Amino acid sequence: MQLKTSTISKKALIFIFLLLLTACSKDDIIFKGTVHTVDVDNNRILVIAQLKEEDLDKNYKEVLETSMYSQAIWVNEVSPSKYTKGEEIEVFYQTSDDSFPAQVTASKIVKSKIEQ
């Protein structure tokens, strides 16, 4: 009987170890930037890293074509009403495509707190 319990315990430990290993290998990528465009029709927002305030009122295509910004992502499947142009946010995601701007689905979005 002791042999069976020992075998079950080892299998349980191996299972838990593999589960933890798998969970730890899927860390989110964090992208910090400014909401430039809120696309209500497609339920997405365009977030650009290190966006200058003077570029907020420009068309997003014009901004991206300048090559001043190398980091930009479309965050898909969001509620556009929750976000406003110029808002600083952190986007947590796991995968993106190779387009520019990249397309991602966020696992979490955190709005930056404004210090006063």
Side-chain angles (χ1 to χ4, degrees):
M1 189 67 163
Q2 188 175 7
L3 182 60
K4 286 185 177 182
T5 305
S6 176
T7 303
I8 293 171
S9 296
K10 286 180 183 178
K11 287 181 181 180
L13 286 174
I14 291 171
F15 175 76
I16 292 170
F17 174 75
L18 291 175
L19 184 64
L20 290 173
L21 183 64
T22 304
C24 292
S25 67
K26 294 185 178 182
D27 290 334
D28 282 341
I29 299 166
I30 303 171
F31 184 87
K32 296 179 183 182
T34 305
V35 176
H36 179 277
T37 304
V38 178
D39 184 352
V40 176
D41 295 333
N42 294 304
N43 294 327
R44 64 184 186 165
I45 55 175
L46 177 63
V47 182
I48 302 175
Q50 300 176 342
L51 181 66
K52 295 180 181 177
E53 192 173 334
E54 61 263 21
D55 291 333
L56 267 175
D57 292 327
K58 295 179 182 175
N59 179 284
Y60 78 88
K61 291 179 183 178
E62 179 184 347
V63 172
L64 295 176
E65 287 174 358
T66 66
S67 300
M68 285 183 55
Y69 304 104
S70 61
Q71 296 179 318
I73 59 172
W74 279 112
V75 184
N76 299 309
E77 300 177 21
V78 298
S79 294
S81 62
K82 292 183 177 182
Y83 305 98
T84 57
K85 183 180 268 203
E87 196 167 35
E88 297 288 326
I89 63 173
E90 293 180 350
V91 179
F92 294 73
Y93 66 93
Q94 292 187 1
T95 60
S96 68
D97 66 5
D98 291 333
S99 66
F100 182 77
Q103 305 278 329
V104 305
T105 300
S107 57
K108 178 170 73 169
I109 298 175
V110 177
K111 296 180 181 186
S112 297
K113 295 180 180 173
I114 300 171
E115 294 180 25
Q116 294 183 356

